[in-house]
Amino acid sequence: MLIEFFSNTPPILQALYATLFTWFVTALGAGIVFFFKEVERRLLDSMLGFAAGVMIAASFWSLLAPAIEISETQGIPGWLPAVVGFLMGGVFLRLVDKILPHLHPALKNGHPEGIKTNWQRSILLVLAVTLHNIPEGLAVGVAFGAVASGIPSASLAGAIALAIGIGIQNFPEGAAVSVPLRREGLSVGKCFLYGQASGIVEPIAGVIGAAAVLIMRPILPYALAFAAGAMIFVVGEELIPEANSEGNSDLATAGLMIGFAVMMFLDVALG
């Protein structure tokens, strides 16, 4: 039924609906603040590890592997767009990381990063997770754009599976914003508002990704690899260090393994 609904929907709207779902799951995660003022650190680190595992698996199964296959059908060495796009994605996120003021919510004693600003700590916390969500929304949008472009290796079920996987790992990201803000004394309503707001960039990035692929089809393998590189940057720069910062590396690693397995199952079995 879900595939039938998406198959009768224009590709830009497909990307929009899918990323609105991932935003909704972010809001669900942020909604934890209505019930809990704290999230046990061991649980939070496990969830961060899970999110990292989902993103690693999605980067290969849903993005890099199709990028290589598409390149070969276009007569381009399979490794070229994959390597170039992957590194460009990492460079792009590095530049954004250096410029955008933000503060990682899971690091209790962390210092603000990016350009120095007088913005409130709450805004910096939201911007940190917003940074995570840019490549996630872009990945979903590019996946639906690939389907609309008629690429044999790209399937509608695979794009939907990617959106589901990204949505699942957005739940802990929403909680990772709202709960620390609650600890800092903000009202429950403001904590929820800020937590869900961190996901609003995903529909924007998703629509841009789908539109870019439809307009400039030759960039598709580069766009897929770009999204993969951006997501791996987030995993290596932020999620894994944060998940291991309080000495819960065993739980974080277990979460990563489970997250990878869940995303692999969604993409391979359903896609």
Side-chain angles (χ1 to χ4, degrees):
M1 185 175 180
L2 189 60
I3 293 179
E4 182 179 351
F5 168 77
F6 272 94
S7 63
N8 296 320
T9 304
I12 299 296
L13 283 180
Q14 289 177 349
L16 178 61
Y17 292 153
T19 47
L20 284 174
F21 163 75
T22 62
W23 179 19
F24 172 72
V25 181
T26 303
L28 287 181
I32 282 183
V33 78
F34 287 109
F35 307 98
F36 304 100
K37 189 174 182 178
E38 289 274 356
V39 173
E40 213 277 325
R41 184 68 208 207
R42 289 158 57 87
L43 176 60
L44 178 60
D45 289 342
S46 300
M47 291 193 299
L48 289 171
F50 179 89
V54 168
M55 292 177 72
I56 293 171
S59 295
F60 176 74
W61 297 104
S62 300
L63 299 171
L64 283 175
I68 293 170
E69 293 179 17
I70 294 167
S71 300
E72 292 174 345
T73 62
Q74 295 177 347
I76 304 172
W79 59 267
L80 181 59
V83 171
V84 172
F86 184 83
L87 293 178
M88 286 177 61
V91 170
F92 171 75
L93 256 290
R94 176 58 178 166
L95 292 175
V96 176
D97 188 63
K98 292 289 288 183
I99 295 171
L100 182 70
H102 63 283
L103 178 65
H104 301 300
L107 298 179
K108 293 181 179 179
N109 300 316
H111 299 287
E113 298 180 6
I115 295 175
K116 291 184 179 180
T117 177
N118 293 323
W119 291 352
Q120 294 181 353
R121 180 180 169 88
S122 57
I123 300 299
L124 296 178
L125 290 169
V126 173
L127 288 176
V129 179
T130 300
L131 182 63
H132 294 186
N133 290 331
I134 294 173
E136 294 168 11
L138 184 64
V140 174
V142 169
F144 279 99
V147 176
S149 297
I151 303 300
S153 59
S155 70
L156 183 57
I160 294 172
L162 175 61
I164 293 173
I166 294 297
I168 291 172
Q169 66 91 41
N170 273 357
F171 187 89
E173 290 190 353
V177 175
S178 62
V179 174
L181 291 177
R182 184 69 179 124
R183 279 201 309 265
E184 303 216 352
L186 271 70
S187 68
V188 172
K190 282 188 176 180
C191 292
F192 172 74
L193 181 65
Y194 286 140
Q196 63 82 31
S198 66
I200 196 172
V201 71
E202 290 198 5
I204 298 171
V207 169
I208 291 174
V213 167
L214 290 173
I215 295 171
M216 298 175 286
R217 179 172 171 174
I219 73 167
L220 177 57
Y222 295 92
L224 288 165
F226 180 94
M231 289 211 294
I232 292 299
F233 179 90
V234 169
V235 170
E237 172 75 7
E238 301 177 13
L239 291 182
I240 290 179
E242 289 178 14
N244 288 277
S245 63
E246 296 293 322
N248 297 316
S249 58
D250 289 344
L251 290 173
T253 302
L256 186 149
M257 297 291 291
I258 294 170
F260 188 99
V262 168
M263 187 64 236
M264 181 169 58
F265 166 77
L266 287 173
D267 192 271
V268 178
L270 305 183

